[in-house]
Amino acid sequence: MADERPHTDLRTDRPHPARVYDALLGGKDNFAADRAAAAAGIERSPEVRDIALANRAFLRRVVTEAARAGVRQFVDLGTGIPTSPNVHEVAQAVAPDATVVYVDNDPIVSAHARALLPAGDTTAIIEADLRAPDAILDDPAFRALVDFSRPVAVLMVAILHHIPNEADPAAIIDRFLGPAAPGSLLAVSHLGADLAPEKAVGVSTVAAQGGITLLPRDRADVLRFFTGLDLLEPGLVPLPLWRPDGPDAGDVAKVWSYGGLARKP
């Protein structure tokens, strides 16, 4: 049967955050514009690749901790190009019955995720924009895998610094955590403007030149995203200091990005 879905303009002539991130990780699912943006970012701050790798390691650690704590539902917002180990691989290594909903607004991400997701009813990919949370929450695939009467882990790893203040990222978080059961978790990693002020301005400027919103924030501003939640130890800290379990956690001197995990009381 022919594919009758409408044609989507992938805009491969312009960099996309998910594909730039893939380029920084050494992936192959990116285009010349994405590689150029990644190279420009590295030129302004060579540590951006270290930050990308540290984010992946942080994601693995928070998912492992959440699964060990008994959470069996995961929502990965702004998932990016699939990179192993993916959230479902990490979660299901601890709890085989864990379910995962991946969300991204890039059709290339969706295509790759659908090709790589395991057969069955434990994972789904939703192509949607984080800035329109109701479209995600109302999606049948989301409702099939997420039951807000039970704890859920909402993962916002390296995504909120792409959301401008006028889009009200705190309200977006509340839209997902508000209906969630007590014991639900929020994981956030975010570029820290106060950890490397000059470099933060540099990469933000380079990103803007490529049409990408990239807004590093001070620790106090990132901390506000956890309002009403209980931050788990060690709190909001540079990524390599968040429960490191190996060398892939990253070097604090190179990774100017914060990470934290909080529980809804």
Side-chain angles (χ1 to χ4, degrees):
M1 180 180 294
D3 188 348
E4 298 178 354
R5 289 174 297 182
H7 171 72
T8 300
D9 184 359
L10 300 180
R11 296 305 307 269
T12 59
D13 60 319
R14 297 181 59 182
H16 185 281
R19 301 193 303 257
V20 173
Y21 189 57
D22 179 69
L24 289 171
L25 292 171
K28 299 179 181 179
D29 300 308
N30 50 73
F31 297 94
D34 307 304
R35 294 188 289 275
I42 291 172
E43 183 177 356
R44 291 298 293 265
S45 179
E47 298 92 346
V48 293
R49 176 166 284 147
D50 296 275
I51 294 172
L53 292 169
N55 267 296
R56 291 301 303 182
F58 170 75
L59 178 64
R60 174 184 57 77
R61 298 198 302 277
V62 295
V63 170
T64 299
E65 292 290 344
R68 288 174 176 170
V71 175
R72 296 294 180 264
Q73 306 178 104
F74 296 81
V75 179
D76 187 7
L77 298 168
T79 181
I81 302 290
T83 302
S84 187
N86 293 297
V87 172
H88 69 274
E89 294 172 319
V90 176
Q92 291 172 2
V94 178
D97 60 336
T99 61
V100 181
V101 175
Y102 294 100
V103 181
D104 203 285
N105 68 347
D106 185 352
I108 289 182
V109 170
S110 300
H112 280 277
R114 289 190 177 97
L116 294 173
L117 287 178
D121 56 1
T122 61
T123 60
I125 175 71
I126 298 174
E127 187 179 321
D129 195 314
L130 177 61
R131 293 167 294 183
D134 285 347
I136 300 170
L137 294 167
D138 292 338
D139 191 287
F142 187 95
R143 296 199 304 268
L145 291 182
V146 178
D147 176 3
F148 277 132
S149 70
R150 298 184 292 114
V152 57
V154 177
L155 312 173
M156 303 181 106
V157 175
I159 187 62
L160 289 175
H161 47 231
H162 293 299
I163 306 298
N165 292 329
E166 52 266 31
D168 201 350
I172 294 172
I173 292 172
D174 185 63
R175 191 66 188 89
F176 286 97
L177 268 294
S184 292
L185 300 173
L186 172 67
V188 170
S189 70
H190 197 296
L191 290 175
D194 51 348
L195 292 175
E198 293 184 6
K199 294 175 181 177
V201 171
V203 297
S204 183
T205 300
V206 168
Q209 292 170 349
I212 294 176
T213 298
L214 185 62
L215 298 174
R217 292 181 170 94
D218 291 346
R219 183 179 183 278
D221 293 324
V222 179
L223 196 59
R224 292 189 184 99
F225 294 144
F226 295 102
T227 298
L229 306 175
D230 296 330
L231 264 174
L232 304 182
E233 292 295 332
L236 182 65
V237 297
L239 289 180
L241 300 182
W242 199 92
R243 305 188 186 185
D245 59 2
D248 66 342
D251 182 344
V252 173
K254 295 181 178 180
V255 179
W256 38 279
S257 187
Y258 289 113
L261 180 67
R263 179 181 291 113
K264 181 177 180 178

